[in-house]
Amino acid sequence: MIPFLSLKDVTALHGAEINEAVTRVTNSGWYLQGKENESFEENYSKFIGTKYTIGCANGLDALIWIFRAYIEMGVMQPGDEVIVPANTYIATILAITENSLKPVLVEPKLNTLQIDEDKIEEAITPRTKAIALVHLYGRLAWTEKIAEICKKHNLKLIEDNAQAHGCLTVDGRMTGSIGDAAGHSFYPGKNLGALGDGGAVTTNDPELAEAVRTLANYGSSKKYVFKYTGRNSRLDEIQAAVLNVKLKYLVEDNVHRKEVARYYIENIKNPTISLPDTLPYESNAFHLFPILCEKRDELHDYLEANGVGTVIHYPIAPHKQECYKEWNNISLPITEYIADHELSLPIGPSITMNEVKQIVELINKF
Ligand SMILES: *Cc1c(COP(=O)(O)O)cnc(C)c1O
């Protein structure tokens, strides 16, 4: 049996060190807003290349706090529009609607599965205030053209880096540092995963950083004094300690992901399957390995019958969800095509090359 992702095996790669970190916090008697958060925020800022990291409860909250902070700062107002790829994981869109902002769904390109830069400008109106750029599947979504559009139309560039820890631009800048602010998730299955929920905002903007930190702490930066109606959305010390351990191995884990991806790219030969472009190859964090297959559901069942776990990311597009009924009748053919044909193959720091070979053999016989 080759599971889609074994979190047990992923944790076991650095199990002793993780257990030591957890025990250290357990025995310290200090569980929130302490040294572990302080050092993780410093380490993560250094890694991403931003002045500030603010830990928070999860990736969805990280994105929610960025938009909310811009509203509190007077940069955005409820009703303003935010451009977002239509095929993203729904959290990006939830963060926009949670703040009474209006998501404007833009189709991805079928060959990259990332937002189509050529369809962004036609979606811009006088109320457009930002682009929520999602580095989906751990692949670089940023392009020069997107940066130019932001500049030309005075838009904030907000990165959803939940799937892309360690993803680089061609000139070596880390995603999470190339926009005005970025939301990160440390959900266990992500490239940098905690042993539970966790998230962070990175930015170079001191005012935004202060607002996010305050919002995520009940709206308070001084004990018992409340500036905003915030919430309790903090990263706890145990998770920060675990993330400090795992951050040290992230680059090496991503190198293994690249090896797995390279093997899939070079060896999958099946006329019913197409692989999205992965250039620039070295820059990708390969969080997931999506393929498109004409007979996707059959392939899924066939692999499962042969002991290989796969997952669809994502089977129902956001605009087809019950929670966004108002969009159910709009047509986004590329997004719908991806929802009907995408399948993610196993990839991660713990899968062996031997397992990857077995998967490819099975796929080529399908
Ligand atoms: C996982 C994910 C999130 C949300 O992160 P959580 O920590 O699960 O709240 C947001 N956006 C994308 C693209 C994700 O994959």
Side-chain angles (χ1 to χ4, degrees):
M1 189 64 208
I2 306 172
F4 176 68
L5 179 69
S6 165
L7 288 175
K8 195 176 164 186
D9 291 350
V10 171
T11 303
L13 289 174
H14 313 295
E17 221 179 317
I18 288 170
N19 285 334
E20 206 179 289
V22 170
T23 305
R24 181 177 69 238
V25 178
T26 307
N27 293 338
S28 75
W30 195 281
Y31 306 119
L32 285 164
Q33 296 176 301
K35 284 189 221 131
E36 301 291 342
N37 263 267
E38 216 173 282
S39 90
F40 174 67
E41 290 183 354
E42 197 182 314
N43 294 336
Y44 200 61
S45 294
K46 226 176 266 170
F47 177 77
I48 294 291
T50 52
K51 282 200 193 117
Y52 308 99
T53 295
I54 304 97
C56 65
N58 55 66
L60 173 60
D61 275 6
L63 293 165
I64 288 174
W65 297 135
I66 292 168
F67 290 110
R68 174 77 186 275
Y70 278 128
I71 289 172
E72 298 292 351
M73 288 159 68
V75 174
M76 293 177 197
Q77 273 158 29
D80 283 344
E81 294 171 9
V82 178
I83 287 171
V84 61
N87 62 322
T88 186
Y89 178 57
I90 202 156
T92 328
I93 300 172
L94 288 172
I96 297 167
T97 54
E98 171 81 15
N99 281 294
S100 302
L101 296 163
K102 190 181 163 216
V104 176
L105 307 178
V106 170
E107 287 261 71
K109 279 187 178 163
L110 194 55
N111 65 332
T112 62
L113 311 180
Q114 306 299 327
I115 193 167
D116 187 341
E117 56 177 12
D118 297 325
K119 289 185 180 155
I120 293 176
E121 273 198 297
E122 64 202 45
I124 293 174
T125 77
R127 290 217 73 169
T128 310
K129 287 289 155 60
I131 298 176
L133 187 66
V134 185
H135 305 292
L136 201 64
Y137 307 121
R139 291 162 190 219
L140 184 70
W142 183 88
T143 64
E144 298 272 357
K145 180 161 180 183
I146 292 173
E148 276 163 26
I149 292 169
C150 287
K151 214 167 166 192
K152 181 172 158 198
H153 298 273
N154 194 25
L155 308 178
K156 294 288 180 198
L157 184 63
I158 296 161
E159 298 176 77
D160 181 340
N161 204 50
Q163 301 191 359
H165 320 78
C167 178
L168 295 161
T169 61
V170 209
D171 57 355
R173 287 173 301 150
M174 195 71 77
T175 60
S177 75
I178 51 187
D180 295 285
H184 307 253
S185 164
F186 307 123
Y187 177 82
K190 303 285 161 96
N191 285 32
L192 180 61
L195 303 183
D197 278 317
V201 171
T202 54
T203 183
N204 287 318
D205 179 342
E207 197 188 341
L208 182 82
E210 176 63 23
V212 167
R213 190 177 295 288
T214 304
L215 283 162
N217 185 41
Y218 293 102
S220 167
S221 55
K222 199 172 155 200
K223 203 160 189 175
Y224 304 131
V225 180
F226 300 91
K227 184 171 181 183
Y228 312 119
T229 54
R231 273 200 289 113
N232 177 359
S233 171
R234 299 177 299 218
L235 181 65
D236 63 66
E237 287 282 281
I238 287 184
Q239 299 308 340
V242 170
L243 291 167
N244 267 323
V245 173
K246 292 188 75 178
L247 181 57
K248 292 193 288 180
Y249 301 102
L250 177 58
V251 169
E252 136 191 352
D253 286 349
N254 283 353
V255 167
H256 183 68
R257 288 175 184 273
K258 278 176 216 185
E259 254 174 76
V260 174
R262 190 189 289 279
Y263 193 87
Y264 281 141
I265 293 163
E266 288 175 355
N267 295 287
I268 291 178
K269 295 199 166 69
N270 184 307
T272 68
I273 290 169
S274 65
L275 305 185
D277 295 348
T278 49
L279 295 170
Y281 176 82
E282 280 306 327
S283 73
N284 286 308
F286 291 108
H287 170 55
L288 296 169
F289 195 88
I291 63 171
L292 298 172
C293 179
E294 287 303 326
K295 299 175 182 165
R296 189 264 314 270
D297 295 336
E298 274 173 55
L299 178 62
H300 168 274
D301 294 350
Y302 161 83
L303 288 172
E304 187 165 273
N306 285 283
V308 175
T310 57
V311 177
I312 298 166
H313 295 97
Y314 300 91
I316 307 172
H319 70 286
K320 294 292 182 191
Q321 298 286 353
E322 193 179 346
C323 65
Y324 291 124
K325 274 191 211 74
E326 64 275 28
W327 297 331
N328 285 176
N329 292 322
I330 64 174
S331 165
L332 293 162
I334 298 170
T335 298
E336 288 157 30
Y337 183 91
I338 294 169
D340 290 341
H341 296 88
E342 193 277 348
L343 192 67
S344 298
L345 303 181
I347 193 166
S350 66
I351 192 169
T352 67
M353 292 314 290
N354 191 36
E355 289 173 319
V356 176
K357 277 175 199 156
Q358 288 176 48
I359 295 167
V360 170
E361 269 170 39
L362 279 169
I363 288 175
N364 289 348
K365 273 191 243 156
F366 171 68

